[in-house]
Amino acid sequence: MTTSLAPSRLEALLESAQLLHSSLNLEDLLRHLLRSVMGRLLVTKAFIAVAHEDGMKLELVRGLAKLKTGNAYRPEDAREVGIDLILPIGDESNPTGLLGICKPGNRELDDEEIAFIQALLGMAASGIDNARSHAETNRLNQALDQKVQDMQALIDLGRGLTSSFEPEEVAQLLMLTLSGRWMVRKYALIAWKKGQPPVVRQKGMSLEALTDYDRYGYDPEKLDDALRPDQMPEGWVRDLIEAEQGKIVFPIKAGDDTTGGLVILGARPGNLPYSAPDLEFGAGLVAQAAVAFENSWFFRTAVERKKVEQELELAASIQQNLFPGNLPKLANYDLAARNRPARQCGGDYYDLLPMGVGYTDDQHLICVADVSGKGLPASLLMSNMQATLRALIGRLPCLTDLVTHTNALLFATTPSNKYVTAILLELDAATGKCRYVNAGHTDCLLLRADGEAVWLQSTGTPLGLMAPDVVAMLQPYEQCEFILNPGDLVALFSDGVTEAQDIDENEFGEERTANFIRPIAHEPAAEVVEKVFNEIDRYAGAAPQYDDITLMVIKRLA
């Protein structure tokens, strides 16, 4: 149908066209279009539907209560509510939309009115397409802006995480970022690494129970990067998260079964849903945080290990200073000693001290001791032992009193599980007379010039192990004597000598010790000491040194 429009209608059409194209807002355009049609034709009921990917949908409805904006357009619904005329907006074979109107009063539209509406809809089609293109452009720009913001947030978080060396700082930064982005009021973070205290950060939730990773019954590594609680494996973890109203869960994955965790977020304000981009963004942040957690735990472990190493180095330095730099020279005697700790810092001790006031210059106290334990605690106890001996020596009338008082002082100042075994030998270099007390120490060797081996056995309990009154009641320290004649040799050592093991865990033993020293006893003391250490190493072979080794050799030459 071809109908010429009157000049007045052409003028109205041009005016409407200008208005339709004056705005790129789809809603304004449709509202103006419908108002123009209804006003021009004096109809009271009309609608506009617009084509979408999934079909026509009602975009604007006037006077038709049964038709709802946003619903799909259905011809039967339109006919049911009295819509008599439905015209395409744009190309009839592929319309941009549809216009539905009722009869204006009780009359039919004439050809000129229909021609006017068709011309108007033709112009409106391009306006609708432009508005929709503009809306799509805005949507894409907004999506791009969001992506840029997400990327910037990831970069900012990455910078923050790489500068964080404490797991608690990583947790704080992550949860501030996540909760701030979605204005979440309830959240929880649980992160673990075996050998490290768990990291817990939560607000509005109580999920400390999730720190017991071994109770989970499943591997969080196998969960999706983001999921709802009802998508988690059935069990107490899921029940607990649902009870605390968690809405989204991000597993913390580090690629092994020694590290893991969960990030749980509550509902967004107004119960807004978490979109797919939201979940993608959150999973990206948590993945970055997982790496930061690993780095921070590794850094903490390295720092702690370095600190322990420094303490051990300091303890070893202190310990070495406890040993005499050089043994005193005693006329007609040859002395040598050596200590080799099993670890960086051992627990053996040897010393040679003049007896001091009340004694002659020839009288000396020789001590070889073995402190229980290893490392820094043993080193401190060894230092305590040395200080005690040096404080008491020369102040007591006999060796048993010195040992008894040493036991009392060590018992009062050391933990109940710490003690010292020691052999204390008082040597009168002028006469060769020796007195000794073996306080729970390993048997030491007196090797006579004729090759006879005499073992200096225990004569009392270890020092610091029992209270003085208990020692006095059960086994008071006993003093034994012997004369060190020219050609005799005394070997005082720790149990690291006789209990050194080969790869089959066979001990070096007392008999092997005496038999090895006997043929070399005529050699200088330093040579004897060195050869005993070499023989122990040869005997042990590939077996590690389990205990500290200390050996002091005293030879009377004339």
Side-chain angles (χ1 to χ4, degrees):
M1 179 178 63
T2 302
T3 303
S4 298
L5 296 177
S8 60
R9 291 187 183 276
L10 283 174
E11 186 177 346
L13 187 62
L14 291 174
E15 182 181 349
S16 296
Q18 290 176 348
L19 290 173
L20 287 174
H21 290 82
S22 64
S23 173
L24 291 175
N25 184 286
L26 180 62
E27 184 178 351
D28 291 344
L29 187 151
L30 296 180
R31 188 179 296 112
H32 177 72
L33 174 63
L34 195 62
R35 186 166 55 243
S36 298
V37 172
M38 295 178 71
R40 175 67 61 180
L41 302 179
L42 299 178
V43 298
T44 58
K45 300 177 182 179
F47 71 82
I48 294 176
V50 174
H52 293 264
E53 291 182 355
D54 54 348
M56 289 285 182
K57 288 186 178 179
L58 296 171
E59 293 289 344
L60 201 57
V61 178
R62 292 289 186 268
L64 302 168
K66 292 184 178 181
L67 300 184
K68 302 296 183 185
T69 300
N71 286 352
Y73 162 74
R74 298 196 308 167
E76 58 272 26
D77 292 342
R79 288 193 296 271
E80 183 180 345
V81 297
I83 297 299
D84 301 301
L85 182 61
I86 298 175
L87 297 172
I89 301 175
D91 186 358
E92 186 173 1
S93 61
N94 185 25
T96 299
L98 298 172
L99 171 68
I101 56 176
C102 62
K103 288 183 179 179
N106 292 321
R107 67 178 181 83
E108 298 292 339
L109 295 177
D110 60 31
D111 292 343
E112 189 175 358
E113 289 175 321
I114 292 177
F116 174 82
I117 295 174
Q118 288 175 330
L120 185 61
L121 294 180
M123 290 186 292
S126 60
I128 292 173
D129 289 339
N130 291 338
R132 295 178 68 182
S133 297
H134 180 70
E136 180 64 11
T137 300
N138 286 338
R139 188 190 66 78
L140 292 175
N141 284 336
Q142 291 174 357
L144 182 60
D145 288 343
Q146 188 62 54
K147 286 291 184 183
V148 171
Q149 292 178 18
D150 290 350
M151 186 62 68
Q152 188 61 49
L154 285 170
I155 293 173
D156 292 343
L157 183 68
R159 288 173 178 166
L161 292 176
T162 53
S163 63
S164 300
F165 297 107
E166 289 295 335
E168 290 75 12
E169 292 181 3
V170 174
Q172 180 183 23
L173 184 57
L174 175 63
M175 297 317 296
L176 285 176
T177 303
L178 289 176
S179 61
R181 178 179 180 82
W182 293 305
M183 294 182 288
V184 175
R185 295 184 177 180
K186 292 184 176 182
Y187 58 77
L189 177 148
I190 313 292
W192 338 265
K193 183 174 183 62
K194 290 184 178 178
Q196 298 284 348
V199 178
V200 179
R201 191 169 186 84
Q202 52 191 351
K203 181 180 179 182
M205 294 184 177
S206 181
L207 297 173
E208 291 90 346
L210 296 181
T211 57
D212 192 355
Y213 173 77
D214 293 334
R215 286 185 57 205
Y216 275 36
Y218 62 86
D219 186 359
E221 287 279 340
K222 297 179 180 178
L223 298 178
D224 291 340
D225 293 340
L227 68 167
R228 299 189 309 273
D230 60 6
Q231 295 174 313
M232 298 181 65
E234 293 184 357
W236 70 273
V237 176
R238 170 175 158 177
D239 295 342
L240 181 59
I241 293 174
E242 289 180 333
E244 293 295 329
Q245 299 180 335
K247 299 299 181 185
I248 290 296
V249 179
F250 298 103
I252 298 174
K253 304 177 181 179
D256 58 37
D257 60 354
T258 65
T259 306
L262 296 173
V263 173
I264 301 104
L265 299 181
R268 299 179 61 184
N271 286 321
L272 289 174
Y274 290 93
S275 65
D278 290 339
L279 300 184
E280 182 181 359
F281 172 76
L285 287 184
V286 173
Q288 282 201 31
V291 176
F293 274 125
E294 273 290 282
N295 291 339
S296 62
W297 277 317
F298 176 80
F299 178 77
R300 173 182 286 181
T301 301
V303 169
E304 291 174 350
R305 185 186 299 117
K306 185 64 177 178
K307 185 177 180 181
V308 170
E309 289 175 353
Q310 290 175 340
E311 289 179 348
L312 285 176
E313 289 176 359
L314 177 60
S317 175
I318 294 173
Q319 184 187 40
Q320 286 302 314
N321 290 330
L322 297 179
F323 294 110
N326 293 292
L327 292 174
K329 300 291 185 182
L330 303 181
N332 298 321
Y333 287 85
D334 182 16
L335 297 91
R338 181 183 173 188
N339 164 264
R340 189 172 73 190
R343 299 180 184 174
Q344 187 175 9
C345 185
D348 282 0
Y349 165 63
Y350 71 82
D351 209 347
L352 192 152
L353 303 168
M355 291 297 293
V357 179
Y359 292 85
T360 69
D361 293 341
D362 293 322
Q363 290 178 290
H364 292 79
L365 179 70
I366 301 172
C367 173
V368 171
D370 186 353
V371 177
S372 63
K374 297 288 183 296
L376 184 58
S379 179
L380 295 175
L381 181 53
M382 190 173 81
S383 176
N384 195 6
M385 171 73 180
Q386 185 204 49
T388 301
L389 280 180
R390 297 197 173 202
L392 294 177
I393 193 168
R395 301 177 182 276
L396 298 167
C398 65
L399 186 59
T400 52
D401 285 351
L402 174 63
V403 175
T404 300
H405 280 75
T406 299
N407 173 68
L409 290 174
L410 290 180
F411 181 79
T413 56
T414 57
S416 59
N417 62 339
K418 297 294 181 185
Y419 58 88
V420 181
T421 70
I423 183 166
L424 293 98
L425 186 147
E426 181 185 315
L427 168 65
D428 187 334
T431 63
K433 185 175 182 178
C434 296
R435 301 184 180 90
Y436 73 89
V437 173
N438 186 333
H441 198 69
T442 189
D443 295 351
C444 291
L445 175 64
L446 166 62
L447 190 63
R448 295 298 186 183
D450 61 2
E452 179 190 7
V454 179
W455 293 99
L456 310 181
Q457 299 175 336
S458 173
T459 62
T461 59
L463 303 171
L465 183 62
M466 291 189 287
D469 55 340
V470 176
V471 172
M473 180 178 62
L474 295 180
Q475 188 182 7
Y477 292 107
E478 182 181 353
Q479 174 180 290
C480 297
E481 299 181 357
F482 64 88
I483 297 296
L484 189 65
N485 296 309
D488 290 348
L489 175 151
V490 173
L492 304 181
F493 45 78
S494 63
D495 56 7
V497 171
T498 54
E499 295 180 4
Q501 296 181 347
D502 62 11
I503 56 174
D504 296 322
E505 299 184 354
N506 298 310
E507 293 187 350
F508 193 70
E510 294 179 349
E511 184 177 355
R512 183 177 281 102
T513 302
N515 290 340
F516 181 79
I517 294 177
R518 189 175 288 113
I520 63 171
H522 63 282
E523 298 184 16
E527 290 292 324
V528 174
V529 170
E530 186 67 19
K531 289 185 176 180
V532 170
F533 270 81
N534 292 340
E535 178 61 12
I536 291 173
D537 291 342
R538 186 200 64 76
Y539 178 79
Q545 180 182 332
Y546 293 104
D547 203 355
D548 306 331
I549 299 176
T550 299
L551 171 63
M552 177 183 285
V553 169
I554 305 108
K555 293 179 59 180
R556 183 174 182 184
L557 303 177

